[in-house]
Amino acid sequence: MFRTALRTVLAHKARLLMTVLAVMLGVAFVSGTLVFTDTIGNAFRNQSAKSYKDVAVAVSSHDSRDNGRRPVNGEKKGGEKKSPGLSEQTLKKIGAVEGVASVTGRVDGFAGVADPDGKLIGNGWATTGGNFAPGADGKDPAYTFTTGSGPVRDDQIALDKATAATGEYKVGDRVRVATNGPVREFTLAGIFTTEDGAVNAGGSLVLFDTAVAQKLYLEPGYFMDATVAAAPGASDSAILSQVKGLLGDNAEAQTGKQLADQQAADIESGLSALNQMLLAFAAIALFVGVFLISNTFTMLVAQRTKELALLRAVGASRRQVKRSVLAEAAVVGAIASAVGFLLGLGLATGLRSALGAFGARMPAGPLVVSPTAVGAAFAVGVLITLIAAWLPARRAAKIPPVAAMSSVHAVATTRSLVVRNSIGGVLTLLGAALIIGGAAAGADNGRLLIGGGAFLTMIGVIVLIPLLSRPVIALVRPLLHRVFGVAGKLAGQNAVRNPRRTGATASALAIGLTLVTGLTVIGVTIGQAVDKMTTDNIRADYMVTMASGGPLDQSALTALEKVPGVTALSPQQATSLEIKGQFSAASAVTPGDIEQVFAFNGLSGSLDSLKEGAIAVADKTAESNGWKPGDTVEVTYVDGKSARLKVGAVYQANEFLSPLLISRDLITPHETKPHIPEIWVKMDGGASAAHEQALVDALGDNPGIVFNDQQDIRNTFGGFINTALNILYGLLGMALIIAVLGVVNTLAMSVFERQQEIGMLRAIGLDRRKVKRMIRLEAVVISLFGAVIGVGLGSFLAWAIGETFKDSIPGYALVIPWDRIGIFLVLAGLVGVLAALWPARSAARLNMLTAIKTE
């Protein structure tokens, strides 16, 4: 029977091609994902191990990392800081420990390099600066200089090789560098290579002399971190034990190996989310492929009724026939898995190159092909094919020997589908009930219910699709007849001739369109809500921020106040107020200007009270504390001093304002260094190129500072949604490609089955053009049927999911993007037309006399 299965596969290789392609694409996605994440993870682990190869002990200061940080809502007041970091005295004590060869102190922070056009080089969040810390030999072991040397004077810097190449800088050039303060020019002393993760992530690295870096990022004489090198033969653990005894509560130490292992674990954790997302889309693609595979084997079994019945007649048992069909599936799955795995290797290489194209410089390393990736590829490919072929194999085993006397093709049956439809109805109703219940419950629990309900509903609808095909397609059959004549009438009849086949073909498209539609409705709805929230609450013409996401320097605020045409200017200076033993986030603002750059809705009291030393409170915060305008609240500032402040106004909370607003004049005496994440600017006459240039010039054409007008602000808060949708569309494209293959496969097999019928139609006068039109219209009808089901189900799921988080998004209201849905339906029709090209051409080229004689 196994030899029979092999001969059958070879005899029907053309018909099995679409199945091979479907499995191959799914396997390629799975294997490519696993190989890609293994390769990237291994490269980063090797990089991490290399970075800490010569580090015996690493010391990190907590206080320096929290420098400028404000306690968040609900956080209780902690102890006073003992120091801003690791002092030089502490490093000297560590250096005196037995077995320590050297100690190197490090500080780092934001440093942006301008290119020749004045634009920032690299990603803002990964543009960093650090200190050059040479040893006794004048070299810093963390960096290898290809040209020049490290900075040893206040006016010198060194750049990583990639940044220097992008900016076309060479040793001796003057380079403009932005930190949190005004832009400064430095002389480039050297160019180096490094294993620094920020640089490999597409950022840049600037090295300053240690004294300059300390002044920029911490305080003179202090470091954020330190690395300890051991003398030959010394024990890392022994050094660690002694170093821990020299540290206070503000620092911790671990061995270099522990730190490398920790970073490797962090890398694994960071890649797991990407890995899971890609595998989820691979699973969707394979799930869609199940319908194609099942459809293929169902049609093959139907076409081989006489052959299988003859096998039964000559002594083959039902079990042997079933095994024969499953053996065919296993062979097809194995071949597809092998090709898919090779394609997956190419996909992994392509993904790595794509990251590089987006500016992320991945560490070098070989392609890692693990046994897990190989095993998963073949297990998934073969198992999916066997599962999809199980039902057709079971039907094949039930063919009685007497069927050998009938036609070679199985006659379409109209037996009752009561059991199938009943099961589908129960699953659909149960799933819909769970979805509605989840929408009513809301939050995370509601989303879990919706997830379970979505799965049951999708399975139920797939089971019911054959039943739904007749009434739904019946609605368009009169239109097909009137517009396309006989070809349209025949296409409508053919589309419902075999409801199971039509349903299986349409199901693949329905699944893909369900996901695409659901994501689109949610994305567009949230995008419009965020956009409306932005336009309703922001009156400012510009938002000024650092490209790194860090705080602006006080000098930026002072400079902007002097710009001609500025009518209102207010920062949201981040601070905290301790109330009732807990810290609450607050913003120090400019009274009189804050109401000109923000819209205050639902206001009670007066914002003018901020000028008199009162505070303004968001309504939710006021309600939770039982406050109203005129109440007095006892607060404690970050320096520990207390005061009694009046609640002067209560306003409707929104995403752009802190829950507490206070005048900057009240906060300034209590903070040595203000933390200003953003400055909001209102200009006379609104935003314009001239006004923006005036702001840019006022801040010294700083490449590290970003000026966002209102459209930029809207894009900042809502534009990422469209980017995310485009990425998801690309990933879901795999499932839709497989769905297209399913339509092609169904039509091709259907044409093969109907050769005699098509020959008769040609004989009685249906010309080739109308035969092609008939096949194409049949494909369009099936595709649009699946698309309509998918659009309806996707919109329903989007509504339910939206109900679970609408309370957290002010102004949320479900939006059905009819324009995009219309595009989806047009594309579905186009899918049908493209899928029918080959089958229609094959049908039109049939020799009518040969086709009529076909059994």
Side-chain angles (χ1 to χ4, degrees):
M1 295 302 292
F2 184 70
R3 287 197 298 271
T4 301
L6 287 177
R7 292 193 187 100
T8 303
V9 169
L10 293 174
H12 299 94
K13 51 183 177 291
R15 301 181 212 176
L16 291 167
L17 177 61
M18 298 301 174
T19 296
V20 171
L21 288 174
V23 179
M24 180 185 72
L25 290 174
V27 169
F29 218 147
V30 172
S31 59
T33 297
L34 294 175
V35 171
F36 170 72
T37 51
D38 285 346
T39 298
I40 296 301
N42 181 69
F44 276 113
R45 282 191 297 272
N46 289 341
Q47 180 193 61
S48 180
K50 184 177 180 181
S51 298
Y52 295 101
K53 180 182 64 174
D54 299 323
V55 176
V57 174
V59 183
S60 178
S61 168
H62 300 309
D63 288 342
S64 62
R65 295 300 175 190
D66 293 338
N67 192 38
R69 174 182 174 275
R70 303 296 183 267
V72 297
N73 281 341
E75 182 174 327
K76 294 184 179 180
K77 185 178 179 180
E80 296 296 325
K81 293 182 180 179
K82 296 180 181 178
S83 69
L86 300 169
S87 66
E88 290 184 353
Q89 290 76 15
T90 300
L91 265 60
K92 288 180 181 179
K93 291 178 182 179
I94 295 173
V97 169
E98 184 179 354
V100 171
S102 63
V103 181
T104 304
R106 301 288 183 190
V107 289
D108 59 72
F110 168 73
V113 179
D115 66 12
D117 296 325
K119 304 299 181 182
L120 184 68
I121 296 176
N123 301 318
W125 59 270
T127 49
T128 58
N131 65 306
F132 175 67
D137 59 356
K139 297 180 180 179
D140 189 327
Y143 311 103
T144 301
F145 280 82
T146 58
T147 309
S149 60
V152 292
R153 299 199 311 266
D154 291 355
D155 64 341
Q156 290 183 332
I157 60 166
L159 291 177
D160 69 273
K161 187 176 181 180
T163 301
T166 302
E168 300 177 358
Y169 292 120
K170 59 183 182 296
V171 172
D173 287 349
R174 298 288 288 177
V175 181
R176 297 177 71 247
V177 180
T179 57
N180 288 345
V183 180
R184 290 178 57 186
E185 279 198 356
F186 295 86
T187 299
L188 183 60
I191 298 171
F192 59 88
T193 59
T194 177
E195 297 295 329
D196 187 276
V199 175
N200 286 323
S204 63
L205 178 60
V206 182
L207 293 182
F208 301 93
D209 177 66
T210 295
V212 174
Q214 288 176 328
K215 186 177 179 180
L216 285 172
Y217 302 127
L218 204 56
E219 288 185 17
Y222 286 91
F223 299 91
M224 296 176 178
D225 305 309
T227 56
V228 180
S235 168
D236 291 356
S237 57
I239 294 174
L240 176 64
S241 177
Q242 295 183 69
V243 168
K244 283 184 174 180
L246 301 175
L247 303 177
D249 295 336
N250 69 320
E252 66 177 1
Q254 55 188 324
T255 64
K257 185 179 185 308
Q258 288 173 336
L259 186 58
D261 291 343
Q262 178 186 319
Q263 287 196 358
D266 292 340
I267 291 167
E268 293 282 355
S269 176
L271 289 175
S272 65
L274 174 64
N275 195 29
Q276 291 170 8
M277 182 183 72
L278 292 175
L279 287 177
F281 284 101
I284 292 168
L286 288 167
F287 184 56
V288 171
V290 166
F291 295 94
L292 190 158
I293 299 164
S294 182
N295 224 9
T296 300
F297 279 94
T298 297
M299 289 186 283
L300 284 174
V301 167
Q303 293 169 9
R304 292 162 51 202
T305 301
K306 185 174 182 179
E307 175 190 330
L308 295 174
L310 281 171
L311 287 174
R312 291 292 313 283
V314 297
S317 66
R318 287 188 174 186
R319 181 176 295 180
Q320 286 177 311
V321 171
K322 183 177 179 180
R323 286 178 179 174
S324 174
V325 176
L326 289 176
E328 295 174 32
V331 171
V332 171
I335 294 171
S337 297
V339 178
F341 180 75
L342 295 176
L343 187 62
L345 297 180
L347 178 62
T349 304
L351 284 172
R352 187 170 177 175
S353 300
L355 287 177
F358 283 105
R361 295 184 282 273
M362 294 294 103
L367 201 66
V368 177
V369 182
S370 66
T372 301
V374 178
F378 281 88
V380 165
V382 175
L383 284 176
I384 288 293
T385 311
L386 288 175
I387 291 170
W390 184 79
L391 277 178
R394 188 169 175 269
R395 294 192 194 104
K398 290 183 177 181
I399 296 175
V402 72
M405 300 168 58
S406 64
S407 172
V408 68
H409 300 313
V411 179
T413 178
T414 57
R415 71 176 183 172
S416 173
L417 296 174
V418 172
V419 174
R420 174 182 178 135
N421 294 337
S422 297
I423 294 173
V426 169
L427 290 174
T428 303
L429 290 175
L430 180 59
L434 287 174
I435 292 171
I436 293 172
D444 292 340
N445 291 334
R447 285 189 279 274
L448 286 174
L449 287 175
I450 291 172
F455 179 76
L456 292 177
T457 302
M458 194 171 293
I459 297 298
V461 168
I462 289 169
V463 173
L464 286 175
I465 273 185
L467 175 67
L468 297 172
S469 63
R470 289 185 181 276
V472 173
I473 294 177
L475 294 175
V476 299
R477 282 172 62 182
L479 178 62
L480 291 173
H481 189 191
R482 284 198 299 270
V483 176
F484 300 103
V486 174
K489 181 178 181 179
L490 291 172
Q493 291 174 344
N494 290 333
V496 295
R497 173 182 293 184
N498 190 329
R500 286 190 182 89
R501 183 184 301 169
T502 297
T505 305
S507 294
L509 275 172
I511 294 168
L513 265 297
T514 295
L515 296 170
V516 170
T517 303
L519 291 170
T520 299
V521 172
I522 292 174
V524 170
T525 299
I526 294 177
Q528 290 199 15
V530 171
D531 189 67
K532 184 177 185 299
M533 182 171 61
T534 304
T535 54
D536 287 352
N537 290 291
I538 296 176
R539 292 177 176 173
D541 296 312
Y542 294 100
M543 177 180 71
V544 184
T545 60
M546 292 296 296
S548 63
L552 289 152
D553 190 74
Q554 171 71 29
S555 61
L557 186 62
T558 304
L560 291 175
E561 288 173 344
K562 301 175 183 178
V563 176
V566 171
T567 58
L569 180 78
S570 179
Q572 280 217 72
Q573 179 179 323
T575 186
S576 294
L577 297 175
E578 185 188 1
I579 303 173
K580 298 179 181 179
Q582 291 186 331
F583 276 102
S584 295
S587 287
V589 299
T590 304
D593 286 5
I594 188 66
E595 57 265 42
Q596 296 185 54
V597 295
F598 285 104
F600 287 84
N601 301 309
L603 183 68
S604 59
S606 173
L607 290 173
D608 289 337
S609 61
L610 290 174
K611 300 177 183 177
E612 302 166 3
I615 58 173
V617 185
D619 52 5
K620 293 180 181 178
T621 302
E623 183 180 351
S624 64
N625 288 279
W627 299 336
K628 60 183 183 299
D631 288 350
T632 301
V633 179
E634 185 170 346
V635 303
T636 302
Y637 297 106
V638 292
D639 62 354
K641 295 181 180 180
S642 299
R644 294 183 63 82
L645 302 179
K646 180 181 177 182
V647 177
V650 175
Y651 56 89
Q652 182 179 317
N654 65 62
E655 297 296 317
F656 303 101
L657 290 168
S658 296
L660 297 174
L661 300 180
I662 187 171
S663 171
R664 292 181 56 236
D665 293 337
L666 285 180
I667 290 295
T668 300
H670 304 285
E671 293 188 348
T672 56
K673 186 176 182 180
H675 189 91
I676 306 175
E678 59 200 36
I679 300 174
W680 298 85
V681 185
K682 183 77 173 175
M683 304 294 293
D684 183 16
S688 68
H691 281 154
E692 182 172 341
Q693 189 59 50
L695 297 176
V696 171
D697 292 341
L699 296 182
D701 194 15
N702 191 322
I705 295 180
V706 179
F707 299 85
N708 291 310
D709 60 21
Q710 286 207 0
Q711 185 59 52
D712 294 329
I713 296 169
R714 292 164 68 183
N715 293 340
T716 299
F717 291 101
F720 71 94
I721 295 174
N722 286 330
T723 301
L725 280 177
N726 291 333
I727 293 172
L728 293 174
Y729 288 159
L731 293 171
L732 287 171
M734 180 75 74
L736 294 178
I737 289 172
I738 294 176
V740 171
L741 294 177
V743 178
V744 174
N745 201 37
T746 297
L747 291 174
M749 302 288 266
S750 179
V751 167
F752 179 81
E753 285 182 357
R754 290 152 45 195
Q755 288 187 61
Q756 189 177 57
E757 175 188 317
I758 293 171
M760 289 295 295
L761 290 172
R762 292 276 289 111
I764 62 175
L766 196 68
D767 59 27
R768 290 185 174 181
R769 183 170 56 86
K770 290 182 179 178
V771 169
K772 287 184 179 180
R773 183 180 297 170
M774 176 185 71
I775 302 298
R776 288 170 185 158
L777 289 174
E778 182 180 346
V780 170
V781 167
I782 294 174
S783 299
L784 287 176
F785 169 58
V788 169
I789 297 293
V791 166
L793 187 54
S795 300
F796 176 54
L797 290 174
W799 163 80
I801 294 171
E803 290 293 303
T804 64
F805 55 68
K806 68 176 183 180
D807 292 338
S808 62
I809 302 179
Y812 180 92
L814 184 69
V815 177
I816 303 295
W818 296 110
D819 54 343
R820 298 198 188 189
I821 288 177
I823 292 173
F824 296 158
L825 294 176
V826 170
L827 289 176
L830 183 61
V831 162
V833 172
L834 294 176
L837 289 177
W838 174 45
R841 185 168 178 270
S842 299
R845 294 178 64 185
L846 284 175
N847 183 290
M848 67 180 74
L849 295 179
T850 302
I852 290 172
K853 292 190 294 181
T854 300
E855 294 185 349

